[in-house]
Amino acid sequence: MSSYLLRRLLLIIPTLFGIMLINFAVVQIVPGGPVEQMIAQMTGTAIESTARFSGNAEGESLENFNIEDLSKSESKYRGSQGLDPDIIKEIEIMYGMDKPAHQRFFKMIKDYIVFDFGESFFRDQKVISLVIDKLPVSISLGLWTTILVYLISIPLGIRKAIKDGSKFDIVTSTIVTIGYAIPNFLFAVILIVFFAGGRFYDIFPLRGLVSENFEELNFLSQIKDYFWHLTLPLIAMLVSGFAGLTFLTKNSFLDQINQQYVMTARAKGLTERKVLYGHVFRNAMLIVIAGFPSAFIGILFSSSLFIEVIFSLDGLGLLGYEAALTRDYPVIFATLYFFSLLGLVMGIIGDFMYSVIDPRIDFESRN
């Protein structure tokens, strides 16, 4: 197993390189880059934009720029007609867009190897600081949602497998399917209307992960306040999150229950509980546990996006969304690098969990 894990770890390098290369190439052909964003702001509100974005990497400044000095010129950037070419050149230098694409890519990779993600174009803050600031929100949503999904789905799926075809199975399948069909953002809006002062009750807070006076509370009150703010977002994510895992657990158990070794165990006089949890559970849970890393990544980095927006939770999903809108390349590529690296590592952890749960699985023996 150790040599297999080593190979998988080494494989992260070319895989991560390929992911970054493909996305970097795609971004280069997408219109509306940071230079165009700056030009749009200057031509729309020149004085405010100049004051906000004055200064660049070379120590040059746009402070002396005068709207009256604009001259007609041809440029590769849309909306740049009327801007002095020297001003456009300064903007390119400020964002590092004056260098060829391949030079910018390899410089980015070199910096990312040592986790130097640079500084955001439009937030005047280092990217690593931004990510660290947003992590608590996304980790809270992703971790608690994943844990609750597994705590609900596995027992429910096992029960449905045991009661396959019964009234309980049919009713729960109907409820789970309806929940799965409702988008989590739509259910979030319904929860706000009913329980967050929308129209009926004002029980839960509408925004933020904690209250403004959180630091003044004692430890138990802080825990209560923390989960009080998380209640509605977690419910919104849970409703559509546990359907797939519930049916996966049920089908895995049904497949194992019909195996010959289960019939043999029953013939030996073992109790049904011993058969289910002593023999069937370990085999049926392999596929479920193997999906834990991907489930966590999916919930952490994609499912929580709309929830963060609706409940005003300033997490990584919202950060990435805003960065994509403003073409904040350092934030976009840094979050992509971080998410991809975490996803690859979690995949390796999933394989390791396979072998821990069932020692019969030997990845090194595969051809």
Side-chain angles (χ1 to χ4, degrees):
M1 187 65 183
S2 57
S3 61
Y4 170 77
L5 291 177
L6 180 60
R7 290 197 301 270
R8 287 292 304 272
L9 288 171
L10 292 176
L11 190 61
I12 288 178
I13 299 174
T15 305
L16 196 57
F17 182 85
I19 292 173
M20 298 302 296
L21 177 61
I22 292 173
N23 283 274
F24 185 87
V26 170
V27 165
Q28 303 311 305
I29 61 177
V30 175
V35 176
E36 280 113 326
Q37 294 283 332
M38 180 60 184
I39 290 173
Q41 293 193 43
M42 291 185 68
T43 54
T45 54
I47 298 177
E48 291 81 4
S49 297
T50 301
R52 180 181 177 187
F53 295 103
S54 62
N56 55 55
E58 301 295 329
E60 298 175 339
S61 175
L62 299 177
E63 292 177 351
N64 296 325
F65 171 70
N66 191 331
I67 191 71
E68 297 177 355
D69 292 335
L70 297 179
S71 60
K72 298 291 183 181
S73 62
E74 295 293 331
S75 173
K76 62 181 178 181
Y77 300 110
R78 294 188 303 176
S80 62
Q81 290 77 12
L83 279 178
D84 190 325
D86 292 336
I87 296 297
I88 297 177
K89 184 66 176 177
E90 289 186 25
I91 298 173
E92 289 180 330
I93 295 174
M94 180 166 57
Y95 294 132
M97 304 299 290
D98 58 318
K99 300 179 178 63
H102 69 278
Q103 290 185 15
R104 287 186 279 116
F105 174 75
F106 284 108
K107 182 183 184 302
M108 179 184 72
I109 293 297
K110 180 181 177 181
D111 292 338
Y112 282 12
I113 291 175
V114 295
F115 293 94
D116 179 8
F117 299 116
E119 189 169 313
S120 168
F121 283 162
F122 305 114
R123 290 175 180 260
D124 194 26
Q125 188 176 353
K126 287 188 176 298
V127 175
I128 189 65
S129 299
L130 281 172
V131 172
I132 292 175
D133 289 344
K134 314 300 182 185
L135 265 179
V137 173
S138 295
I139 291 293
S140 294
L141 285 174
L143 183 61
W144 288 116
T145 302
T146 306
I147 291 175
L148 291 174
V149 163
Y150 270 73
L151 288 177
I152 295 173
S153 298
I154 292 177
L156 180 60
I158 294 173
R159 186 68 177 174
K160 286 173 64 63
I162 297 173
K163 300 289 186 179
D164 184 41
S166 67
K167 184 178 180 179
F168 172 82
D169 182 39
I170 295 173
V171 171
T172 53
S173 293
T174 303
I175 295 174
V176 169
T177 303
I178 293 174
Y180 182 74
I182 301 176
N184 56 11
F185 65 87
L186 177 60
F187 194 73
V189 173
I190 295 174
L191 290 175
I192 290 174
V193 171
F194 277 88
F195 302 108
R199 178 169 295 182
F200 295 93
Y201 303 100
D202 189 6
I203 301 174
F204 297 98
L206 181 59
R207 61 182 64 245
L209 190 62
V210 294
S211 300
E212 293 182 359
N213 64 334
F214 182 78
E215 297 296 335
E216 303 173 4
L217 303 175
N218 59 49
F219 180 70
L220 291 178
S221 297
Q222 286 182 340
I223 294 177
K224 180 181 177 181
D225 182 77
Y226 170 73
F227 283 105
W228 181 49
H229 282 76
L230 274 179
T231 299
L232 293 187
L234 288 180
I235 293 175
M237 295 180 67
L238 278 173
V239 168
S240 60
F242 66 86
L245 185 60
T246 298
F247 288 121
L248 178 62
T249 303
K250 174 190 173 182
N251 293 333
S252 297
F253 261 77
L254 286 177
D255 179 64
Q256 293 298 319
I257 287 173
N258 296 322
Q259 296 294 323
Q260 183 64 42
Y261 75 89
V262 176
M263 300 178 185
T264 303
R266 286 171 175 166
K268 289 181 178 180
L270 296 179
T271 64
E272 191 67 15
R273 184 179 183 84
K274 182 68 174 178
V275 171
L276 286 175
Y277 296 100
H279 296 275
V280 175
F281 184 83
R282 184 178 67 177
N283 295 324
M285 284 297 98
L286 281 174
I287 189 172
V288 176
I289 293 176
F292 179 86
S294 59
F296 175 72
I297 294 297
I299 292 172
L300 181 59
F301 301 130
S302 59
S303 300
S304 62
L305 171 59
F306 291 114
I307 301 301
E308 289 181 10
V309 174
I310 293 172
F311 288 99
S312 300
L313 298 172
D314 196 8
L316 290 175
L318 184 60
L319 175 66
Y321 174 72
E322 292 177 346
L325 289 181
T326 59
R327 303 299 194 271
D328 196 343
Y329 289 167
V331 176
I332 293 175
F333 289 118
T335 51
L336 173 65
Y337 180 85
F338 176 73
F339 296 169
S340 301
L341 179 60
L342 184 58
L344 292 170
V345 171
M346 292 295 281
I348 297 175
I349 294 175
D351 287 347
F352 179 72
M353 292 173 65
Y354 254 133
S355 62
V356 170
I357 295 170
D358 191 347
R360 296 172 300 175
I361 296 178
D362 185 7
F363 289 100
E364 295 183 7
S365 66
R366 296 184 305 173
N367 293 325

